[in-house]
């Protein structure tokens, strides 16, 4: 698992990497073209490097502090040493990014803001950003939840009853082939207020794949499992809830994972088009005002927020499929 | 065992042989016929089992399963149909342990499925305690080849399935622990099927079927996928359960030793179309020893009936 060289040298190098990045931030002068170094000029993006330096220093300090601690936790030590090279590469990337943008202006603002600008922006506007995260999350969770419920419901119907399959499956297939974003103009016109329209789009995005996977999982149940329950005295309803649906559970979660990705895609696209809040809206809004550091900040926040959502779904999956542990890797 | 004697070189008329010798023919060395072998064995070990008093104890027991002239044809309306069973009649008495044995394709599993009500015959009739089999029922427990345990359910959950499916789990909860103990799976209650060994999994499957107190337990090669040691262990467990619950069991197997070790009667089936060729009563007292001379005799007989005995080596000299 931790196969990288277990050497403290790489760990030291990684810490040093952050030192170098700090040194670059402190000692390389900002060579703004057209201005002499140090000359005051008018700019419309944050350039205060304090937050950036704090982050670099904090990482270095944490790494130094973890080192003696790692003597008591062998797994932690292995993990730290395993990750050392990557952390070092991360430090170098930050340094290079800082150098190319804020220092040498090879990559120019406003399209390429440095880490300095982004990190200066985020903490000073955290409340604003958080409200957008909240708006996005609410929509996303609501849409995915409704889509999952609808998907599982229709999945059971088409997977268990021939009549439902006959009537419902073609419709389902239609909504599955057409991307949810194609409905956006119709939804935004017909469904008011905007969150309702977007929830509808998210439901469309997740409904098909979840119900499809659900039905497929039920249909692939081995005949022997039904026959066993039959010889044990089970009725049809018992077979549905205790054989077919449990057997479909791994498939459902495959469906939910895919639906999550599709929903996030639809969410951001929909927010960019017709919302007044949310991270997608914020990105679009920032672009309009040429505040590209806000766009990058929103992307980073998006990464963090969506990672948390995915981690929660993964946890639920692991709990629901705990009987599979060791059966599949 | 006399059926084998005919047509064997040992049964050649003595006078013919002498005539042939007088004409200058080279003396031929006949191999020992089973009859002769039996006589020799009888002299050494005592009378063979067939001559002892019968140990078959179910002659007067009521008939539980009655299979009458059953035909089963798969894809009957298509050109490449399979005649799985032809004119099969069989009676299983209460408390009996019966084995169905035969090469693959002889319809032994089909017959078992018909008794279970998982499949239906084209012709003929099956009754279990007088009632025509019209579908599966918990009164006929079935153990599948690979166990067919529910992978999402624990050992305990699997064994409790029958009670839950019948809606009596609330009242009879305590019986789950009872059956876990009976098959020796204490400590594995919370394990999932893939976490226990193949032998344990089959014990779970057997307990799961038995918890409903079926009139008959139908076992479809439950030990087919197990190694020899586990198999012997599970055979003893099965006999133990059979005695303890005094249940009726019908076992499908392709292992002759297993059939002899467990059964009161062995039904030999032949393929294409599948039919019963012979029913042998196992006149061996219990517990049985696999290296007992009578056991080995019976095995030889059955193997010969199944044409599995193979060629015997010529003896080097005559006694």
């Amino acid at each position: 698992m931790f196969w990288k060289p277990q050497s403290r040298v790489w760990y030291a190098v990684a810490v040093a990497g952050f030192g170098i990045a700090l040194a670059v931030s402190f000692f390389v002068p900002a060579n703004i073209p057209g201005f002499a170094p140090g000359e005051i000029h008018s700019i419309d993006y944050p350039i205060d490097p304090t937050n950036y330096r704090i982050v670099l220093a904090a990482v270095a300090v944490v790494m130094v502090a973890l080192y003696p601690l790692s003597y008591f936790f062998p797994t932690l030590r292995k993990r730290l040493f395993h990750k050392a090279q990557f952390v070092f590469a991360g430090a170098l990337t930050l340094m290079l990014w800082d150098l190319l943008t804020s220092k040498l202006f090879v990559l120019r603002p406003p399209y390429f803001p440095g880490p300095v600008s982004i990190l200066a922006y985020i903490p000073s506007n955290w409340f604003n950003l958080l409200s957008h995260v909240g708006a996005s999350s609410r929509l996303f969770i609501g849409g995915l939840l409704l889509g999952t419920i609808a998907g599982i419901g229709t999945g059971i119907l088409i997977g268990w009853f021939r009549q439902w399959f006959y009537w419902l499956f073609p419709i389902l297939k239609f909504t599955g082939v057409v991307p949810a974003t194609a409905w956006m103009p119709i939804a935004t016109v017909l469904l008011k207020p905007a969150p309702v329209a977007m929830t509808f789009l998210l439901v469309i995005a997740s409904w098909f794949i979840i119900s499809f996977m659900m039905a497929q999982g039920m249909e692939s149940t081995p005949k022997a499992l039904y026959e066993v329950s039959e010889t044990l005295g089970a009725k049809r309803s018992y077979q549905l809830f205790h054989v077919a649906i449990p057997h479909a559970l791994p498939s459902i979660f495959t469906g939910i994972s895919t639906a999550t990705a599709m929903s996030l895609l639809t969410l951001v696209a929909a927010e960019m088009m017709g919302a007044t809040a949310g991270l997608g809206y914020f990105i679009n809004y920032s672009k309009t005002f040429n505040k590209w550091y806000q766009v990058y900040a929103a992307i980073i926040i998006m990464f963090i927020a969506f990672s948390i959502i995915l981690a929660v779904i993964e946890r639920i999956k692991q709990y629901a499929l705990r009987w599979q542990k060791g059966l599949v890797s | 065992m006399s059926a084998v004697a005919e047509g064997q070189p040992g049964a050649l008329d003595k006078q013919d042989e002498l005539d042939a010798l007088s004409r200058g023919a080279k003396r031929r060395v006949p191999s020992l016929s089973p009859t002769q072998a039996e006589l020799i064995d009888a002299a050494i070990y005592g009378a063979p089992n067939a001559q002892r008093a019968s140990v078959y104890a179910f002659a007067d027991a009521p008939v539980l399963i009655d299979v009458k002239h059953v035909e089963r044809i798969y894809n009957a309306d298509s050109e490449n149909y399979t005649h799985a069973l032809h004119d099969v009649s069989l009676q299983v008495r209460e408390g009996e342990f019966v084995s169905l044995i035969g090469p693959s394709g002889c319809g032994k599993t089909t017959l078992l499925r018909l008794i279970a009500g998982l499949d239906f015959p084209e012709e003929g009739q099956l009754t279990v305690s007088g009632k025509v089999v019209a579908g599966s029922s918990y009164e006929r427990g079935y153990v599948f080849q690979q166990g067919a345990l529910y992978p999402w359910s624990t050992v305990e959950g699997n064994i409790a399935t029958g009670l839950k499916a019948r809606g009596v789990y609330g009242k009879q909860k305590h019986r789950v622990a009872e059956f876990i103990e009976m098959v020796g799976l204490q400590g594995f209650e919370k394990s999932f099927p893939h976490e226990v060994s193949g032998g344990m999994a089959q014990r779970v499957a057997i307990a799961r079927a038995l918890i409903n107190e079926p009139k008959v337990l139908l076992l479809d090669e439950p030990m087919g996928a197990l190694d020899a040691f586990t198999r012997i262990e599970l055979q003893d467990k099965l006999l133990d359960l059979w005695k303890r619950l005094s249940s009726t069991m019908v076992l499908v197997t392709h292992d002759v030793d297993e059939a002899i070790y467990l059964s009161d009667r062995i039904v030999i089936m032949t393929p294409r179309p599948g039919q019963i060729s012979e029913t042998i009563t196992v006149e061996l007292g219990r517990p049985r020893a696999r290296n007992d001379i009578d056991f080995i005799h019976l095995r030889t007989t059955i193997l010969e009936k199944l044409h599995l005995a193979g060629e015997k080596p010529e003896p080097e000299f005559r006694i």
Side-chain angles (χ1 to χ4, degrees):
Chain A
M1 191 174 163
F2 304 120
W3 51 273
K4 276 281 183 185
Q6 295 290 315
S7 123
R8 65 189 78 180
V9 176
W10 275 110
Y11 195 75
V13 168
V15 176
F18 284 94
I20 296 165
L22 261 178
V24 167
S25 177
F26 271 110
F27 301 117
V28 177
N31 180 23
I32 303 171
F35 296 96
E39 193 178 329
I40 293 168
H41 55 280
S42 148
I43 39 169
D44 56 352
Y45 53 89
I47 51 161
D48 180 11
T50 319
N51 288 346
Y52 173 61
R53 287 170 186 168
I54 289 173
V55 168
L56 289 181
V59 175
V61 167
V62 167
M63 283 184 76
V64 170
L66 279 178
Y67 185 74
L69 210 66
S70 72
Y71 277 104
F72 304 101
F73 303 101
T75 324
L76 173 75
R77 189 178 175 81
K78 278 182 192 156
R79 184 188 294 269
L80 285 177
F81 282 175
H82 180 76
K83 289 282 183 192
Q85 292 183 359
F86 191 84
V87 172
F88 175 59
L92 283 191
T93 307
L94 279 176
M95 185 204 75
L96 213 64
W97 184 10
D98 188 33
L99 209 59
L100 290 176
T101 52
S102 312
K103 298 298 184 189
L104 302 176
F105 287 83
V106 176
L107 301 169
R108 293 199 169 201
Y111 303 113
F112 296 102
V116 168
S117 306
I118 295 166
L119 287 173
Y121 172 72
I122 294 177
S124 59
N125 287 278
W126 65 270
F127 189 77
N128 187 20
L129 282 168
L130 212 62
S131 72
H132 289 299
V133 171
S136 287
S137 307
R138 251 199 317 281
L139 269 183
F140 173 78
I141 292 167
L144 187 67
L145 218 60
L146 278 178
T148 305
I149 293 167
I152 289 176
T154 27
I156 291 171
L157 289 177
I158 63 176
W160 198 246
F161 303 104
R162 277 188 311 182
Q163 284 289 348
W164 282 97
F165 180 86
Y166 178 85
W167 292 106
L168 216 54
F169 191 67
I171 303 170
L172 198 68
K173 221 166 142 188
F174 178 72
T175 64
V177 171
V178 178
T181 40
W183 295 94
M184 209 182 292
I186 303 170
T188 43
V189 170
L190 291 184
L191 297 170
K192 302 275 182 202
V196 177
M198 287 203 286
T199 308
F200 168 76
L201 292 178
L202 292 181
V203 170
I204 292 284
S206 48
W207 182 46
F208 165 75
I209 187 68
I210 293 176
S211 52
F212 182 78
M213 292 306 293
M214 171 102 214
Q216 207 179 46
M218 286 168 69
E219 276 159 20
S220 65
T221 312
K223 217 173 121 211
L225 294 187
Y226 287 125
E227 289 179 344
V228 158
S229 67
E230 232 181 83
T231 59
L232 292 171
K235 301 274 174 293
R236 276 287 274 175
S237 59
Y238 185 90
Q239 290 182 327
L240 171 62
F241 290 107
H242 292 90
V243 182
I245 293 177
H247 186 267
L249 218 53
S251 298
I252 299 172
F253 276 99
T254 310
I256 289 176
S257 298
T258 317
T260 308
M262 305 249 261
S263 298
L264 289 176
L265 199 77
T266 312
L267 174 74
V268 175
E271 280 178 345
M272 283 182 171
M273 301 277 289
T276 51
L279 286 169
Y281 158 78
F282 182 71
I283 286 176
N284 208 32
Y285 161 88
S286 305
K287 188 206 81 177
T288 320
F289 289 91
N290 231 11
K291 293 184 172 174
W292 290 84
Y293 56 94
Q294 292 188 12
V295 173
Y296 287 88
I299 289 171
I300 291 169
I301 298 290
M302 205 180 264
F303 164 74
I304 296 168
F306 292 176
S307 295
I308 293 170
I309 290 172
L310 289 177
V312 169
I313 292 174
E314 182 63 29
R315 270 296 172 85
I316 297 172
K317 176 184 172 177
Q318 272 177 5
Y319 178 75
L321 300 183
R322 62 196 181 284
W323 53 271
Q324 267 196 336
K325 210 176 162 203
L327 193 65
V328 288
S329 56
Chain B
M1 292 183 192
S2 59
V4 221
E6 274 178 22
Q8 294 285 325
L12 226 120
D13 192 1
K14 268 280 184 280
Q15 195 54 50
D16 285 353
E17 200 182 341
L18 287 174
D19 288 351
L21 283 172
S22 66
R23 288 196 303 271
K26 216 176 158 193
R27 191 183 192 107
R28 53 185 293 282
V29 184
S31 62
L32 282 179
S33 78
T35 356
Q36 285 170 312
E38 267 175 27
L39 289 173
I40 293 163
D41 285 343
I44 300 169
Y45 303 105
N49 200 71
Q51 288 160 29
R52 289 189 197 145
S54 172
V55 296
Y56 179 66
F58 301 95
D60 299 327
V63 174
L64 181 68
I65 302 170
D66 198 357
V67 181
K68 279 182 205 150
H69 308 293
V70 157
E71 301 274 342
R72 178 74 180 99
I73 303 160
Y74 291 117
N75 305 321
D77 43 3
S78 116
E79 270 190 23
N80 44 3
Y81 65 89
T82 317
H83 204 153
L85 287 179
H86 172 61
D87 193 22
V88 167
S89 296
L90 173 70
Q91 286 191 334
V92 177
R93 294 175 183 277
E94 245 166 55
E96 211 180 354
F97 199 124
V98 174
S99 288
L100 308 177
I101 196 167
S104 58
C106 70
K108 50 194 193 298
T109 296
T110 306
L111 180 55
L112 204 69
R113 288 175 61 85
L114 290 176
I115 297 170
L118 293 170
D119 198 359
F120 301 97
E122 262 71 39
E123 270 174 54
Q125 202 183 39
L126 291 107
T127 53
V128 174
S129 28
K131 278 182 282 180
V132 176
V133 175
S136 50
S137 155
Y138 70 89
E139 291 186 335
R140 276 158 278 136
Y142 200 100
V143 176
F144 285 78
Q145 209 161 1
Q146 304 288 345
L149 298 180
Y150 296 122
W152 52 81
S153 192
T154 57
V155 164
E156 205 173 47
N158 266 289
I159 292 177
T161 306
L163 301 180
K164 286 177 182 165
R166 286 163 52 221
V168 295
Y169 181 65
K171 279 183 208 157
Q172 305 189 12
K173 224 178 206 168
H174 60 277
R175 299 188 51 221
V176 177
E178 206 175 287
F179 273 80
I180 286 173
E181 204 215 308
M182 214 182 281
V183 292
L185 285 170
Q186 305 97 307
F188 292 94
E189 289 91 343
K190 303 289 178 205
S191 303
F192 286 106
H194 72 272
E195 294 169 336
V196 301
S197 69
M200 285 171 158
Q202 281 301 11
R203 277 188 271 165
V204 175
I206 291 167
R208 180 173 67 170
L210 283 175
I211 202 163
N212 278 334
E213 294 179 321
K215 282 181 182 161
V216 55
L217 184 66
L218 308 165
L219 303 125
D220 184 7
E221 292 186 33
M223 297 162 230
L226 303 179
D227 64 272
F229 295 100
T230 316
R231 193 183 299 193
I232 285 172
E233 204 184 294
L234 193 58
Q235 285 166 2
D236 286 329
K237 190 87 238 170
L238 197 60
L239 277 186
D240 175 46
L241 291 169
W242 175 65
K243 266 181 238 158
R244 217 194 298 192
L245 304 168
S246 43
S247 52
T248 311
M249 294 192 180
V250 180
L251 170 80
V252 160
T253 181
H254 47 227
D255 182 343
V256 178
D257 277 33
E258 184 172 290
I260 300 171
Y261 188 70
L262 296 174
S263 328
D264 297 305
R265 280 193 301 144
I266 298 172
V267 177
I268 297 176
M269 296 182 73
T270 49
R272 278 175 294 275
Q275 48 194 332
I276 292 173
S277 71
E278 202 166 338
T279 305
I280 293 174
T281 307
V282 182
E283 302 278 10
L284 301 174
R286 293 177 193 268
R288 291 167 186 170
R290 289 180 176 80
N291 56 358
D292 180 62
I293 191 71
D294 296 330
F295 194 106
I296 294 165
H297 265 306
L298 192 53
R299 173 171 53 193
T300 314
T301 314
I302 295 172
L303 286 175
E304 271 168 1
K305 284 181 199 296
L306 290 165
H307 308 291
L308 290 173
E311 292 292 315
K312 279 184 188 170
E314 292 280 306
E316 283 173 31
F317 55 86
R318 295 184 74 176
I319 300 166

